[in-house]
Amino acid sequence: MFSKILIANRGEIAARVIRTCKNMGIKTVAIYSEADADAPHVKLADEAFLVGKPQVNESYLNINKIIEIAKESGAEAIHPGYGLLSENTNFANACEEAGIVFIGPSSDVIANMGSKIEARKSMQDAGVPLVPGINYALEDKHEAAEVAESIGFPVMLKASSGGGGIGMQVANNSDDILKAFEGNQKRANDFFGDGAMYVEKLIENPRHIEIQVLADQYGNTVYLWERECSIQRRNQKVVEEAPSPFLDEETRNKMGRVAVKAAKSIGYSNAGTIEFIVDENKNFYFLEMNTRLQVEHPVTEEITGLDIVEQQIRIAAGETLKVKQSDITRNGHAIEVRIYAEDPKTFFPSPGKINYLKVPKSENIRHELAIHENSQITPFYDPMIAKLVVKGNTREDAIRSMSKALEEYKVEGIKTNIPMLQKVIDHPAYMEGDTTTNFVEKYYKKELSNK
Ligand code: ADP
Ligand code: ADP
Ligand code: MG
């Protein structure tokens, strides 16, 4: 086992990874930018190194500097968290070259799944059901319109390298796609340095349901059930839960087996997530694979009792998986909400200084917090400032606890999406499990516009 790990991330996820390292008796090294000198993860780690200026390109994405710090501090492994360098093949390669273990899959698997087009090819070969669409990059908007026509509208235009809901757009007709193509391609180029675009069928009134897998380096692979993450804004998740209120036992097991097959077919190792889009008839289709720890991993931990970060570290250290499929149980119901520093009406980021903070406390609440009173929320990073997770015996219990927790949660100085989350959680349609990906559009925005 490693004796020291560097965490190449910031915010709540850096703090969360450090917590598991501490439980395992592993020393931790934090990195921080000039904007994060008094951030929680810096205080929690055994050592902390300044990595550069606030801008991510000069700090949390500075591969050479991070490797240098790892060497200097004697860290034997690097946990990349999510976002930032977690799915960056150059970084995984740089770790390999420096003789440092990258806690994640191999760089070629990251590259394969990092391109949604390449991932679709691999999954098709493995016999995993795909959303109907193409597996190559479009030349231009005219080809996009032609292809969309042949697939049949409505379609989703997507950036092959996209993430966080960026670079995708629904098109209902040729005009839509002709208008949307170049803008989305530019955004994809700006954000991901890759303008490759493709189209797939838009699945209507769908649910986003994903399967967590764990695989060791010897091919042993298990699934840790599903998470439903259908409640989204701007195609990005804001409420996640496990189990899904929509799935029956048969579909759940089938999805789990398909996810394991998918992971095995690409020689996957470490923790990963196969995302599926599920239609009204419970047909499920591969969306993408995330080759890293997922933001919403806590809900799975809450119902299975497993620590996914600990599993990641053990796998990276070369241990064989100790858990067998039949050992993985499911207890109770867990819900996570992502708390963003953003305007609850427009969903635009709302940076500023937090001048008052009161958080709910209770035995069934797990709170992943990246801020404190007087924290300055800067525009340099993702505006997610905390994750609130509750556990209940039943879904109803969990919803009630979440509702109460959100009522008690007070942040002043910046705008947050807490009022929006409260409306979602308290909505009768949520209680009924009408959790399609257009929930926010259908129930929340409509209500706002009626006022
Ligand atoms: P997950 O797939 O784990 O649920 P998301 O889909 O929300 O996470 O985001 C995918 C990744 O992209 C996350 O690791 C997140 O940190 C990162 N991300 C989210 N929003 C942005 C953004 N606006 N710019 C750059 N990266 C982002
Ligand atoms: P990202 O890499 O940004 O997470 P995904 O491919 O995982 O992109 O899609 C993000 C979300 O966008 C999905 O959870 C879903 O809500 C929506 N979406 C993506 N593709 C489709 C599709 N073909 N049909 C309907 N919704 C889709
Ligand atoms: Mg996704």
Side-chain angles (χ1 to χ4, degrees):
M1 184 43 65
F2 311 116
S3 54
K4 198 187 262 190
I5 291 177
L6 181 145
I7 295 94
N9 213 301
R10 61 179 300 282
E12 66 87 21
I13 197 60
R16 188 261 167 275
V17 173
I18 292 170
R19 194 167 69 227
T20 288
C21 291
K22 284 199 164 151
N23 290 341
M24 296 176 75
I26 299 170
K27 291 255 182 299
T28 52
V29 182
I31 57 168
Y32 64 96
S33 73
E34 285 171 2
D36 276 341
D38 74 336
H41 76 279
V42 178
K43 297 196 180 71
L44 289 170
D46 295 301
E47 294 165 64
F49 289 77
L50 179 67
V51 68
K53 291 199 161 40
Q55 291 80 357
V56 285
N57 284 330
E58 298 192 43
S59 54
Y60 299 104
L61 295 181
N62 186 339
I63 294 178
N64 291 338
K65 179 81 185 176
I66 294 169
I67 299 283
E68 201 179 286
I69 294 172
K71 284 185 179 159
E72 189 185 330
S73 64
E76 304 144 271
I78 297 185
H79 195 300
Y82 55 72
L84 299 172
L85 295 172
S86 62
E87 293 173 296
N88 185 308
T89 45
N90 293 335
F91 185 58
N93 275 325
C95 290
E96 252 160 60
E97 275 162 27
I100 297 163
V101 176
F102 174 81
I103 302 176
S106 63
S107 57
D108 51 326
V109 169
I110 298 175
N112 186 213
M113 292 298 112
S115 155
K116 289 182 186 180
I117 291 174
E118 292 304 317
R120 283 174 60 86
K121 287 186 199 157
S122 297
M123 291 302 141
Q124 187 161 42
D125 292 345
V128 174
L130 300 182
V131 182
I134 57 166
N135 299 349
Y136 55 87
L138 294 160
E139 285 292 331
D140 56 24
K141 61 182 178 185
H142 301 292
E143 189 189 6
E146 256 168 55
V147 167
E149 196 79 52
S150 70
I151 294 171
F153 290 101
V155 299
M156 187 71 113
L157 173 69
K158 293 173 90 162
S160 181
S161 295
I166 296 161
M168 69 172 77
Q169 181 125 9
V170 175
N172 288 307
N173 50 53
S174 294
D175 249 17
D176 280 357
I177 204 157
L178 288 170
K179 273 194 209 123
F181 189 85
E182 277 152 13
N184 274 281
Q185 184 164 51
K186 182 174 185 309
R187 265 166 80 71
N189 253 323
D190 291 349
F191 269 92
F192 313 110
D194 172 21
M197 305 295 293
Y198 69 107
V199 275
E200 60 185 30
K201 183 97 191 140
L202 181 83
I203 307 296
E204 293 182 79
N205 300 314
R207 284 161 172 87
H208 173 116
I209 302 178
E210 58 188 34
I211 306 284
Q212 174 75 55
V213 297
L214 286 178
D216 66 18
Q217 296 178 31
Y218 317 100
N220 304 301
T221 310
V222 295
Y223 63 93
L224 272 51
W225 312 111
E226 82 282 6
R227 292 183 286 262
E228 178 162 345
C229 320
S230 303
I231 313 279
Q232 308 180 346
R233 55 103 182 80
R234 291 198 267 103
N235 294 312
Q236 190 184 41
K237 305 151 186 173
V238 283
V239 179
E240 303 107 344
E241 63 185 301
S244 157
F246 184 62
L247 290 191
D248 53 67
E249 214 48 35
E250 195 192 328
T251 314
R252 162 176 295 130
N253 286 314
K254 203 163 140 197
M255 289 177 76
R257 286 195 299 270
V258 169
V260 166
K261 181 169 84 172
K264 282 193 169 184
S265 75
I266 53 167
Y268 198 82
S269 136
N270 217 285
T273 297
I274 322 273
E275 296 191 334
F276 294 100
I277 194 107
V278 184
D279 74 12
E280 291 168 304
N281 300 315
K282 297 200 180 116
N283 298 306
F284 56 90
Y285 308 93
F286 173 81
L287 262 187
E288 64 159 341
M289 179 170 194
N290 292 329
T291 55
R292 54 170 164 84
L293 188 65
Q294 205 93 341
V295 176
E296 58 277 15
H297 76 281
V299 294
T300 301
E301 296 185 324
E302 291 303 313
I303 66 157
T304 60
L306 288 166
D307 179 330
I308 296 174
V309 174
E310 177 185 341
Q311 295 295 326
Q312 287 191 293
I313 295 171
R314 291 192 182 285
I315 290 167
E319 291 187 14
T320 48
L321 263 188
K322 300 285 182 306
V323 287
K324 290 192 195 61
Q325 192 63 57
S326 54
D327 299 338
I328 301 165
T329 51
R330 225 166 55 226
N331 276 309
H333 198 99
I335 303 176
E336 173 184 288
V337 296
R338 299 187 187 187
I339 298 180
Y340 282 91
E342 71 182 18
D343 185 315
K345 293 195 176 88
T346 61
F347 310 135
F348 287 141
S350 168
K353 188 176 172 211
I354 296 179
N355 47 37
Y356 178 75
L357 179 68
K358 183 170 162 279
V359 300
K361 287 212 162 60
S362 147
E363 233 176 40
N364 61 348
I365 291 179
R366 167 172 171 181
H367 196 195
E368 303 289 354
L369 191 65
I371 45 151
H372 47 75
E373 216 163 69
N374 298 321
S375 278
Q376 190 76 37
I377 308 302
T378 68
F380 300 112
Y381 315 114
D382 193 276
M384 193 182 79
I385 51 174
K387 301 186 314 208
L388 186 62
V389 187
V390 299
K391 166 108 193 261
N393 288 326
T394 63
R395 185 169 187 266
E396 263 177 46
D397 287 346
I399 291 175
R400 261 195 301 274
S401 302
M402 182 59 89
S403 175
K404 185 161 167 278
L406 286 168
E407 252 167 57
E408 290 167 8
Y409 209 122
K410 302 276 182 265
V411 187
E412 284 169 22
I414 55 164
K415 287 184 184 166
T416 74
N417 65 337
I418 292 173
M420 178 245 186
L421 294 169
Q422 185 89 57
K423 284 211 166 71
V424 169
I425 295 292
D426 291 347
H427 203 289
Y430 182 68
M431 184 63 96
E432 283 159 24
D434 185 18
T435 50
T436 54
T437 58
N438 43 0
F439 188 98
V440 170
E441 204 67 41
K442 192 168 158 189
Y443 297 111
Y444 175 69
K445 283 208 190 141
K446 204 178 219 170
E447 237 167 68
L448 280 185
S449 59
N450 286 345
K451 273 178 197 153

